[in-house]
Amino acid sequence: MLRRTFVAAAMTAALLAAGVAQAQTYRAEYRLSTTLGPAFAWGQAGERWIELVREKTQGRINIKLYSGNSLVGGEQTREFTAIRQGVIDMSIGSTINWSPQIKELNLFSLPFLMPDYKAMDALTQGEVGKDLFTILDKRGDVVPLAWGENGFREMSNSKRAITSPADMKGMKFRVVGSPLYNETFTALGANPTQMSWADAQPALASGAVDGQENPLSVFVAAKLTNVGQKHLTLWHYVADPLIFVVNRQVWNSWTPADREAVRQAALQAGRENVDKARKGIAGSDNAVLKQIEASGVTVTHLTPEQREAFVKATRPVYDKWAKTIGADLVKKAEAAIAKR
């Protein structure tokens, strides 16, 4: 009897010691990277994830937000590599920014693949979304947890209303650092210039570039009317889903219960982020568009025929990049969209 008591006490002590050792692996603070800050739905998603994680782990996991890709000197396309290297612990990242390292994420940047929000949901919330998470997971260094959203990217400029590719000829557009965007705008007759978002606004203000492409929520929050963006074309040419991830070493340092808490926090923050990103934009809710028009911006709604001219002009780019992304994945995406 005495021996059993001693063994039980020893086991309890060992478990407590293991718990203390495990607790010691937790850092005082973890680094969460986003491109846009709390003035935008993207940065707000970061703040919400932080809040939910702290709540669900009873304060065991504390996170600080680093927006503007400040942990990589503002270089958006370096973020994914920095997560893999452990420079960044967690991120809500753009599929666009990570596509140079994960070629399959270029799927969302195929010009005119997704005509509406139902099409985007068919991909992120269906088998294609699961396949992309599997691809990320197999890279070994990151753990993907949830989808969020920056939104469909629309085109604005300071020169004129754009209703056809011919209207874009020779115009300078700021685009993100992805070859696919360069090729898409070149196919439309424009002169694309790759630069970070931090450099984009001064370039627009000075006239170094004529236009840009971003979701409407970003157009409003960044006050792009103040930097000469007086013409807006709604064309839904690509979308920008976001992905909540954690560096795998950081993930493995947490208890299974805390990992699940972080996952559930990401899923909840992701759902809330999608709702916020679409508020005033999707469906019959056009409050954001009315706000933009009220600021003196000329808004051009493309007719189906006008949109088709852009689709045709960029089709060679689509076909070329479909091979790079993976023909089977693209076909699966096209089938999912057709069934939406």
Side-chain angles (χ1 to χ4, degrees):
M1 183 71 174
L2 184 62
R3 178 176 174 77
R4 286 182 185 173
T5 303
F6 176 78
V7 170
M11 289 178 66
T12 300
L15 287 170
L16 287 171
V20 169
Q22 189 169 45
Q24 289 174 340
T25 68
Y26 281 48
R27 297 184 204 159
E29 188 174 84
Y30 296 89
R31 296 158 297 190
L32 170 62
S33 175
T34 63
T35 296
L36 299 181
F40 303 83
W42 190 340
Q44 290 161 20
E47 290 186 322
R48 183 62 172 146
W49 194 16
I50 291 169
E51 177 186 13
L52 288 168
V53 167
R54 187 184 303 118
E55 174 189 310
K56 291 179 184 294
T57 63
Q58 290 79 53
R60 287 186 297 277
I61 297 177
N62 294 286
I63 307 162
K64 182 177 179 180
L65 179 66
Y66 291 83
S67 58
N69 297 118
S70 57
L71 294 172
V72 286
E75 294 296 327
Q76 295 162 233
T77 55
R78 286 177 51 208
E79 184 181 57
F80 187 77
T81 299
I83 299 165
R84 297 186 68 200
Q85 293 171 340
V87 174
I88 294 170
D89 301 317
M90 308 166 71
S91 177
I92 304 174
S94 162
T95 54
I96 298 171
N97 293 343
W98 295 355
S99 62
Q101 288 80 40
I102 307 292
K103 65 178 184 177
E104 292 86 354
L105 293 181
N106 282 292
L107 176 73
F108 299 104
S109 297
L110 281 177
F112 304 101
L113 168 66
M114 297 166 288
D116 51 36
Y117 286 102
K118 286 184 179 179
M120 199 192 319
D121 290 342
L123 301 187
T124 60
Q125 305 308 310
E127 291 302 313
V128 170
K130 291 177 184 176
D131 289 349
L132 290 170
F133 272 21
T134 298
I135 289 165
L136 281 168
D137 194 62
K138 283 182 177 177
R139 292 298 293 263
D141 302 310
V142 301
V143 180
L145 302 177
W147 289 97
E149 187 174 304
N150 194 27
F152 275 102
R153 301 176 76 91
E154 315 294 4
M155 171 173 50
S156 71
N157 78 92
S158 60
K159 299 292 187 184
R160 53 184 172 267
I162 292 176
T163 60
S164 71
D167 295 328
M168 297 173 65
K169 188 173 183 181
M171 289 180 66
K172 296 178 183 177
F173 281 89
R174 176 266 173 181
V175 296
V176 295
S178 163
L180 176 46
Y181 285 76
N182 256 352
E183 292 179 28
T184 297
F185 274 77
T186 298
L188 292 167
N191 181 9
T193 301
Q194 293 182 342
M195 62 179 68
S196 70
W197 180 241
D199 294 332
Q201 286 168 286
L204 291 166
S206 68
V209 293
D210 303 312
Q212 61 85 53
E213 46 78 55
N214 255 308
L216 295 184
S217 58
V218 174
F219 185 94
V220 172
K223 299 178 180 172
L224 292 185
T225 53
N226 293 344
V227 290
Q229 298 300 285
K230 298 298 184 184
H231 301 278
L232 178 67
T233 297
L234 304 181
W235 62 343
H236 267 35
Y237 87 118
V238 300
D240 191 7
L242 306 176
I243 305 177
F244 291 63
V245 304
V246 178
N247 168 275
R248 188 172 296 278
Q249 285 190 337
V250 170
W251 178 259
N252 289 339
S253 74
W254 297 332
T255 65
D258 280 344
R259 289 177 208 159
E260 185 57 25
V262 172
R263 184 190 303 278
Q264 291 305 317
L267 289 167
Q268 182 176 339
R271 288 190 297 268
E272 293 176 9
N273 163 245
V274 170
D275 289 342
K276 188 170 285 189
R278 296 182 186 183
K279 187 176 181 181
I281 295 171
S284 59
D285 185 1
N286 60 356
V288 170
L289 199 56
K290 286 182 178 180
Q291 182 181 349
I292 292 171
E293 289 177 318
S295 68
V297 175
T298 300
V299 178
T300 299
H301 300 260
L302 296 179
T303 66
E305 292 76 21
Q306 287 172 332
R307 188 174 184 275
E308 185 57 29
F310 289 94
V311 173
K312 268 188 181 177
T314 56
R315 189 66 200 190
V317 177
Y318 184 109
D319 292 340
K320 173 188 171 182
W321 278 85
K323 295 173 186 175
T324 300
I325 294 163
D328 290 343
L329 181 63
V330 173
K331 286 176 183 175
K332 193 170 187 177
E334 291 170 341
I337 291 169
K339 292 177 184 175
R340 73 191 185 283

